Amino acid sequence: MDTRQHKDEFEAILSSNIVAIISADLDGRITRWSAGAEKLFGYSSESAMDINLQALVPPSQQCELQTVLEKLKRKRSIPSLTTQRMKKNGDIFAAEFSVFPVLDDDGKEVLGLVSITSDISNRRQSEEKLAEFSKRIETILDTVLDGIVTVNSGGIIETFNPAAERMFQYRAHEVIGCNVNVLMPEPYHSEHDGYLRNYALTGKAKVIGIGREVAGRRKDGSVFPMSLAVAELSKGENPSFVGVIADITEAKEREAELEDQYKLVKVANDNLTASIDRLKEMQQQLVESEKMASLGGLVAGLAHEINTPIGIGVTASSHLSAISTALEAALHNNTLRRSELDNAIEDINKTSALIFRNLERAAKLISSFKKVAVDQATDELREINVVDYLQEVVLSLQPELKKHHATVDISAEGRFFLTLNPGAFYQIISNLVLNACLHGYAVKGGVIAIAVCQENNRTIITVTDKGAGIAPEHLGKVFDPFFTTRRAKGGTGLGLNIVYNIVTQAMHGTISVESEIGKGSCFTISLPSAPTPPPKAQD
Amino acid sequence: MKVCQKDDMLTFKDEPETSSQAPKDRLPPWNVLVVDDEPDVHSVTKLALDSWTYGGRPLKLTHASSGREAIDMLRDRGDYAVILLDVVMENELAGLDVAEYLRKRLNNNRTQIILRTGHPGTLTDNEAAAVHGCNFYEPKSYITSERLKSTLAVALKDYSSPPHPSMGCGR
């Protein structure tokens, strides 16, 4: 059994193509050539019989081959030799080479040799790569600015790179083998072993894979802020850890500087905010005083307007009483003439008509002034008939209009009702009308046309004059606060700004202006409320 | 003298003879210029002063409805005894412009100015009167017909009498 079976196994090895099995005589002539040899060297079995072992060895290794053959002649085997071999095509590869002498049956004479050759170029490359890689890692560790320290599961330092040496002022040999807690101030110094035990027990990491800012302790005992990232290098029975450390003293200082700067900026910003608030408050006060000024102007206008009919009434009624006194005396003395009585009656008629007319006028003035003055003082919303209200506003502005020889023409396509704050509406219209007087008709009078119409659910009110117009360089600024061409004459530059704010903010509308020098100006207000029909037809 | 009873018919005195007085016997009227932009002021002034006389002389009222018009009239003739002058007309100081024109440009310090106004524009009442050489200041709402007549009487007396150094109106 045995011989047969051994032979079969030997054949199997011979035919495997992993290794080359070659037999040769002591002169190097090849006697047997395995399938693996065919594959490894590229020679067929037949052609291999014609070559010498020397053909398989690159020129540089020929001496070695001679040495090997010499050893074999002295019956010595060479179990393993790392060397180089050459293929049929001339390629040289790293090889592991084992060779044994073949003895005669008596074991006295060396008949030849049998060799086993395997290609180890892959393994060799891996080993070289690994060495190269280690060297690189070492270079990196030596070069990086981050301190890199590895410790074992017990917290004992295994490696300590130059950057770590610089940071902690320890030489590597001083700390390798020490507990890593020498690099930590209290309380970390005392607690670190506990951290490691805790991690080993629970697997709950405080730093590993997270990274944090901690404190480091130098050899001289001084403490510095550092960032620390820790990774587990190998799991299992004996885990080890790598810590990557950056000294963040400078970063901390910069941070503190930035913090200081931020505080300064914040103080400046707070001051600015306070200034803006104060400005807003002042603007509010100005707006308020503008409103009061407009109310004051209204009252002054009222005083003048109403004094005229009252004065006429005072003169006229006292004249009536004078007539009456004269009549009484004449009657009493019987000196009354018919012509005198006729004259007196005619006088009385004329005078009482005058009184009535002027009392009516005063009453009407007071009622319209009262309406706009009350509207000025309250912020309530109510529904107004736009055209009627425009007429009230214009009536209250009569003194100014008269002064500038301006008249107002109101036209409307239908009836319009808006729910709004009438005082604010008064401010809009009176400001626009007075602007037309003060600017448009400063030199000579004319007509101010107010038109109301509807356009896609919006009420459009235009105030147009044919006066002086607005200079193109001023046109873009008329709604800006404090822009005025009449500062010297007491203009605040707030009128149109208030109009703008009321229209756009309080009434959610828009206002625009078109103007041409010498041709006049047109202000267009668009309010987002469709004219609604009056509640009932009784109005 | 017959005593009248309440229900007696009214008996009128005989009308005077017409054209009984020869024109040469009548004294010339006082020329008074009324300046106001309010037509009813002219009407009531006319009614109140229609039959009033001072020193036996009636008034001849001339009417101007603006400061501009008044200045034209003052330039045309210089014998107005009194101007009844409104202040706020075509502008806030139109009346004061008239007063200034009369005193400074026409150099007329004799014509009496009675300022009548609702409120005198931007100046206070007395300032307005003094600065612009006005002789009297009458707030409109206080002018009864009696007060109008008495003020006119004083003004006409001043107009007729020699200039008084203490009046201080630039005379």
Side-chain angles (χ1 to χ4, degrees), chain A residues 304 307-308 311-312 314-316 318-319 331 334 336-339 341 347 351 354 357-358 361 403 405, chain B residues 2 4 10 12-16 38 40-41 44 47-48 88 90 92 118-119 140-141 143-146:
Chain A
H304 179 259
N307 268 343
T308 302
I312 292 165
V314 166
T315 313
S318 58
H319 179 56
L331 196 61
N334 277 328
L336 187 64
R337 293 194 177 96
R338 174 171 283 279
S339 63
L341 184 60
D347 254 24
T351 310
L354 205 56
R357 191 162 68 231
N358 280 279
R361 201 173 123 193
K403 233 163 63 183
H405 302 281
Chain B
K2 181 183 161 188
C4 286
L10 202 54
F12 290 107
K13 202 183 171 195
D14 291 338
E15 296 294 326
E38 175 55 52
D40 277 359
V41 171
V44 79
L47 279 169
V88 181
E90 64 265 42
E92 299 221 337
H119 73 115
K140 270 185 177 172
S141 47
I143 310 178
T144 61
S145 68
E146 290 78 28

Side-chain angles (χ1 to χ4, degrees), chain A residues 435-450:
Chain A
N435 256 341
C437 287
L438 287 170
H439 298 281
Y441 295 134
V443 180
K444 67 183 182 72
V447 177
I448 298 165
I450 304 181

Side-chain angles (χ1 to χ4, degrees), chain A residues 301-411:
Chain A
L302 169 71
H304 179 259
E305 279 304 280
I306 225 131
N307 268 343
T308 302
I310 283 176
I312 292 165
V314 166
T315 313
S317 60
S318 58
H319 179 56
L320 275 187
S321 103
I323 294 171
S324 158
T325 309
L327 275 182
E328 195 180 23
L331 196 61
H332 192 259
N333 298 333
N334 277 328
T335 56
L336 187 64
R337 293 194 177 96
R338 174 171 283 279
S339 63
E340 282 172 359
L341 184 60
D342 283 344
N343 285 341
I345 288 169
E346 198 191 327
D347 254 24
I348 290 166
N349 283 340
K350 281 186 191 165
T351 310
S352 50
L354 205 56
I355 292 172
F356 182 72
R357 191 162 68 231
N358 280 279
L359 281 180
E360 239 184 359
R361 201 173 123 193
K364 201 173 166 191
L365 278 171
I366 285 178
S367 100
S368 80
F369 274 107
K370 186 182 155 202
K371 206 177 276 176
V372 292
V374 167
D375 286 343
Q376 287 275 288
T378 67
D379 291 330
E380 280 172 27
L381 299 182
R382 72 178 160 88
E383 186 179 63
I384 59 159
N385 178 324
V386 176
V387 175
D388 286 358
Y389 200 81
L390 285 172
Q391 275 157 356
E392 305 270 10
V393 175
V394 169
L395 189 62
S396 80
L397 298 172
Q398 274 313 318
E400 286 292 322
L401 289 166
K402 214 159 73 182
K403 233 163 63 183
H404 291 90
H405 302 281
T407 54
V408 175
D409 176 47
I410 300 171
S411 64

Side-chain angles (χ1 to χ4, degrees), chain B residues 2 9 18 23 25 33 41 43 45 49 57 62 65 74 76 86 89 98 107 117 121 129 136-137 142 150 159:
Chain B
K2 181 183 161 188
M9 292 287 283
T18 53
D25 295 342
L33 179 61
V41 171
S43 307
T45 306
L49 300 176
R57 296 164 65 177
T62 306
S65 61
L74 287 169
D76 288 350
D86 188 17
M89 288 176 288
V98 174
N107 211 21
T117 183
F136 305 90
Y137 170 76
Y142 295 113
S150 62
Y159 176 76

